[in-house]
Amino acid sequence: MTKHSRFLLSFILFLISLSGQAQQAKYKEMVQYDSVRKSVPREKLYMQLDKPVYAMGDTIWFKGYLINASLLNYSTTSALIYADIIDKKGQVIQTVSLPTQYGLTWAGFAVNPNKYEPGIYTFRAYTNWMQNFGDTFLFKKEIQILDIAEPQPASPSTATAKAQNVRSNATNSNKKPLIDLQFLPEGGTWIAERQQKLAFKALNINGKGTTVEGDIVDSKQQKVASFESNSMGMGYFDFTPKAGETYVANYRSAIGNGNQPLPKTQPNGITLRLNNNLNSDSISISILSDLPNQELTILGQSRGVLCFLAKIKPNSNYKIVRVPKNIFPTGVCQILVQNEQQQTLNERNFFINHHDELKVQMTTANQSFAVRDSIPIHLQITDQSGKPIAGSFSLAVTDDGQVKKDSLNDQNILNYLLLSSDLKGEIENPGHYFNVSNPQQQEELDALMLTQGWVSYQWDLNKKPTFKAESEFTVSGKVTNITNKPIAKGKITLLSTRKGFMIMDTVTNDKGEFVFRNFPAMDSLSFLIQALNAKGNRGTLGIEMNEFKRPPITVAAPIVPLATMSEATDSVTKQMVTSQRQASTYRGGGIGLREVKITGKKVVKSSKNLNGPGEADQTLSEADLEKLNKKSLLNVLEENVKGFRMGYRRKTNIKEFMVNFALVKLVIDGVDVDFFYSPSDWPITDAHYQHLKYYLDYYTAEDVQGIEIMKHARNAGRYRMEFLNPMDETEYAFIEITTKTGSGPFLKKAANMYIYKPLPYGDNKIFYSPKYTAANKATHTPDLRSTLYWMPNLVTNKNGEANAHFFASDRKGTYTAWLEGTDTEGNFGFKAIKITVK
C-alpha cells in the first residue's frame, strides 16, 4: 500500500471511531468532497530547467512531471503537455506540445538570436485540462536571456536620453507608496475584545518582501504593541483590540517610513486559532463563537481531500479540538469553519511535514577533478524506510562561476509540489520554508501560512469543464456544407506539406466530425486537409478545424526601469556573459556559437524568408506595424510598399495585384496561398485578384509580425525556384507575410481544403556533451560551457541505483549537480552536491 492510499484510508479509520449519527453525517460530507476529486481531478505540473539564465545560442533544457494534485502519483487525466516561452510583451516566442509517459516528458528550446532578444522571459507549461481551473494552476518560471554581443558605445544623445528616462521612471515610481503593508487576522475575522494573532506582510514596489518593523498605536497615539518582520517581510504578533477603538501601524524600513491603518474590528463572530507545535504529534484548534443558535462544522482538508470533520453544537461558545498530524499528508493543509448553509466563515492554512520524501545519495569517485576530466556520479535512491526505489530522475550540472544556484532556498520539485503550488502568489525562497528543522523556521513558515492565500479546490458539480483532457495529440474538425449542415460519411484526407511525407484518411461521423490520431513526433509540420462528400465530390463543403486555444497571457509592467535592471546584473551573470562571449569567437565542436550580426537590416522574428534573416528588398518590422493598429493587410501594403497596386495583365482586362509591373505572389508563413486557388470560385476576369484580396482583407496589422518584399532577382531567385514552374517566365514580386501565430494562410472556412499548422509535437533534441580522450584533450578550442551536463531521464534500477558521467570544462572552480525526480507513485526526491575542479 502506497502512502497515498494510506492518506485516504486514514480518514475512514478516523471516521469509524465516531458514534453512529455523527458518523453518518460526516460520511455524507466525505462523499461530497470525494465526488469532486473524482469528477474533476486536478493536475499539477512541475518543470525542472537546467538553469535560470541563458546566453544566445544556448538551449533551454527542461523536464516535466505531471501528477494528480490530490494523490501526487502520475496523472491519468492528460497525456499532452504544452510549454511556451513568452516575452515581456506577452507574445509567445516558442511553443511545443509534448506527449507524456507516466506523467514524464522532456525537451529543449533553442535560444535562436533570430527569435530572441536579451531580456526577461516567462517559461509557462500546462495541460489543456488545467485551463478549466484558472491561471493559478499553470506552471510559470521567470528566465533571463543574456546579450553576449560586444557592447557598442552609445552616442552622447542616446546616453543622455537613457539617463533622463531612468530619472523620469524613478520619479514616477516615487509617487507610489514605497511599502505595501497588509495586516491579516488569523482565521480571517478581527473580533474586538479577543486575543488573536495578527499577521502582516510588507512588499516593496517590485512586489518583493522587505524587512519592516514598527509600533501599533491607538486613536490617542498610545503604543499598544510592536512588530518586527523576518527577512521576507512577514511576521505575526498577539493582540487584543478594544471595541470601538481604531489602530494604526507606524512602520520603519530601510526604504522608507510610513503608517497603515489596521483592519476594523467586528463586535461579534468567530475566532479561529491553531497551534501547530513543531515537536507535537497533533495540532490544536480553538474555536470561540458568540453566534447564537448556529451549528458549526470544522473541516480539515489537504489537496481537495477531506481529512477530518467535527461538529460543534449550537451555543457552544468555546471548543478545543485536537487532531493527530498523521491524518494529514505532507504539504499545505487547511482548517475551515462552516455554518449550517456550508458557507465558510473562517479558514486557516498550516503546513505538515512528515519528512517522507525519497532519500537521495549522490556521490562522485573523487573529492576533486582536473579540467576536462571524466566525472562519474553514482546515485542511490531509497524511500523513508530504506527500501530501494526505481524511478526517473533529471540531472543538471552547471558551472557555479556562470550560473547561480542556491540549493537551500531555490525552487525544486519538493517545495513546488508540496508548498508553492498550493499557495497563491509568489513564494520567495521556497526551499527555506520546506526545510523546517527548528522553531525559528517553523515560526517563519507559520507566518507564510497566515499571509498567503491558498488555492481552493472547490468545484460546482453542475458546471461542465470547458477544456477537454487530452490523452494524445490529435487533428480534428468538422465538415459542413454551405448551409452549415454537417456532412456525414465525408471522406477526409490529411497530407503533410513539409519535412517528409505522410498521408492519412478517415470519414466523418453523423455530426460531420473527424479526428486523426497516432502521430509520430514532429516538429514544424503543417498539413493539408481535404474534404470530399460521400460520393467523392467537392461540392460546397467547408472545413472548421478545432484549433488549440492558449491560456490568456497577462503581462505585468515592470516597476523598476529595464535600464536599471540590466545595470544591476550580478557578478556571476557577468562572468557568464564574458565566458560565452569568448566561446562565441570559436567555431566547431558544438561548444560555442558565433553570433550572427545583421547590420543595417530589419529582421522579422520567426520569418520563413528563404534568403535568410534581413535579406529582402523592403521589410516592414513589428515596430512599423504596431503604428498601423487595425488596418487591413491590403491597406498596409497600399500605403507602405512602393509600387503596390491593383492593375491589369498586359493586353487583357484581368485584374491582378502588382508591385510596379510584377505580379504579386503572396506567401504566408512560408506557404504559397495559390496552393488554395481555384479559378471556378470567382468570375474569370478577377479570379486570382479576388483570391488574394480575400486574404489581404482578412488579416490586419495586429495579426502580422512582419512583411518582406522580394522583387529583384537577388532576393526573388530562391522564391522562383521554390514556388514556380521553371518554364514560367512571368515577372513576380514575392511578398512574405509572417503572422504572429505562425499558423499559415488558413481562414475559418476555406472551401474543401485547409492548411492546418499544429503546434510542434514532440522533440528530438539531445544534449551535447563533449568527450575528451588522450587524442583530443589538448585541443586549444576553449570549453566554457555553463551547463556541463543534462540528463532528463536517469532511471534507477531495482536496487535504486544509477550512474552517469560527464567531462569537466576548462573553467576551474565548483559545479552544482542538481537532481530531482519521482517514482511516479507520489514520492519525490531532491539532492544537490558540489563538485570541485582544480
Side-chain angles (χ1 to χ4, degrees), residues 199-226:
F200 61 93
K201 184 173 186 177
L203 302 175
N204 63 23
I205 59 175
N206 291 311
K208 302 293 185 182
T210 185
T211 304
V212 69
E213 64 179 12
D215 302 315
I216 307 297
V217 298
D218 61 17
S219 58
K220 298 178 182 179
Q221 296 301 304
Q222 296 296 311
K223 176 181 173 181
V224 293
S226 299

Side-chain angles (χ1 to χ4, degrees), residues 36-287:
V36 173
R37 183 180 64 84
K38 290 180 179 179
S39 300
V40 280
R42 300 293 176 94
E43 294 177 317
K44 286 185 181 182
L45 176 59
Y46 174 73
M47 309 295 282
Q48 179 187 353
L49 279 66
D50 64 313
K51 56 192 175 188
V53 180
Y54 298 86
M56 294 297 179
D58 266 348
T59 297
I60 303 168
W61 300 104
F62 60 92
K63 181 178 182 180
Y65 296 85
L66 179 63
I67 64 171
N68 178 292
S70 294
L71 302 182
L72 302 187
N73 54 350
Y74 73 89
S75 174
T76 57
T77 303
S78 300
L80 195 62
I81 290 173
Y82 298 92
D84 302 325
I85 302 291
I86 304 169
D87 69 11
K88 61 188 178 185
K89 296 179 182 179
Q91 296 181 6
V92 176
I93 303 302
Q94 281 187 281
T95 190
V96 68
S97 57
L98 298 166
T100 71
Q101 287 189 333
Y102 300 103
L104 306 174
T105 193
W106 52 88
F109 285 121
V111 184
N112 188 328
N114 295 329
K115 292 183 178 181
Y116 287 88
E117 295 177 351
I120 303 298
Y121 292 78
T122 298
F123 181 101
R124 184 177 72 168
Y126 50 92
T127 67
N128 196 49
W129 178 253
M130 283 181 180
Q131 295 193 61
N132 290 302
F133 310 104
D135 182 71
T136 304
F137 283 85
L138 279 54
F139 178 89
K140 292 184 283 290
K141 185 176 180 65
E142 197 173 81
I143 61 173
Q144 184 178 7
I145 307 296
L146 301 177
D147 186 0
I148 63 171
E150 292 287 352
Q152 299 296 320
S155 64
S157 59
T158 303
T160 302
K162 179 180 177 182
Q164 290 174 346
N165 181 56
V166 171
R167 285 196 296 270
S168 173
N169 285 332
T171 301
N172 290 337
S173 65
N174 286 337
K175 295 179 181 179
K176 301 177 181 179
L178 293 175
I179 290 180
D180 176 16
L181 181 59
Q182 304 172 29
F183 286 90
L184 305 154
E186 181 177 17
T189 57
W190 191 225
I191 311 298
E193 306 296 344
R194 298 184 194 174
Q195 187 182 57
Q196 291 180 251
K197 284 181 181 177
L198 188 60
F200 61 93
K201 184 173 186 177
L203 302 175
N204 63 23
I205 59 175
N206 291 311
K208 302 293 185 182
T210 185
T211 304
V212 69
E213 64 179 12
D215 302 315
I216 307 297
V217 298
D218 61 17
S219 58
K220 298 178 182 179
Q221 296 301 304
Q222 296 296 311
K223 176 181 173 181
V224 293
S226 299
F227 61 93
E228 183 178 356
S229 76
N230 59 25
S231 59
M232 271 77 75
M234 289 176 285
Y236 59 87
F237 57 95
D238 283 337
F239 184 53
T240 305
K242 295 187 178 300
E245 184 62 272
T246 58
Y247 300 93
V248 172
N250 296 324
Y251 62 84
R252 303 174 294 276
S253 76
I255 59 175
N257 304 333
N259 55 71
Q260 175 66 40
L262 266 59
K264 292 183 179 180
T265 60
Q266 300 177 22
N268 52 45
I270 302 171
T271 55
L272 164 64
R273 299 200 65 170
L274 182 141
N275 186 0
N276 181 19
N277 188 286
L278 180 64
N279 298 317
S280 175
D281 61 359
S282 63
I283 61 170
S284 173
I285 306 163
S286 302
I287 305 292

Side-chain angles (χ1 to χ4, degrees), residues 698-764:
Y698 178 79
Y699 291 100
T700 69
E702 288 183 329
D703 302 322
V704 176
Q705 188 87 8
I707 301 172
E708 296 161 289
I709 315 297
M710 277 68 66
K711 55 185 178 181
H712 296 139
R714 183 189 62 181
N715 291 320
R718 292 187 179 182
Y719 278 83
R720 294 189 66 91
M721 294 174 61
E722 176 74 13
F723 296 114
L724 297 180
N725 186 309
M727 304 301 294
D728 190 343
E729 297 181 355
T730 307
E731 183 182 358
Y732 288 94
F734 296 88
I735 301 180
E736 176 81 57
I737 307 295
T738 300
T739 66
K740 290 181 179 178
T741 63
S743 51
F746 59 82
L747 308 180
K748 286 292 182 182
K749 280 217 173 176
N752 74 317
M753 288 192 296
Y754 196 107
I755 284 287
Y756 176 64
K757 187 174 181 180
L759 299 179
Y761 172 65
D763 186 274
N764 297 316

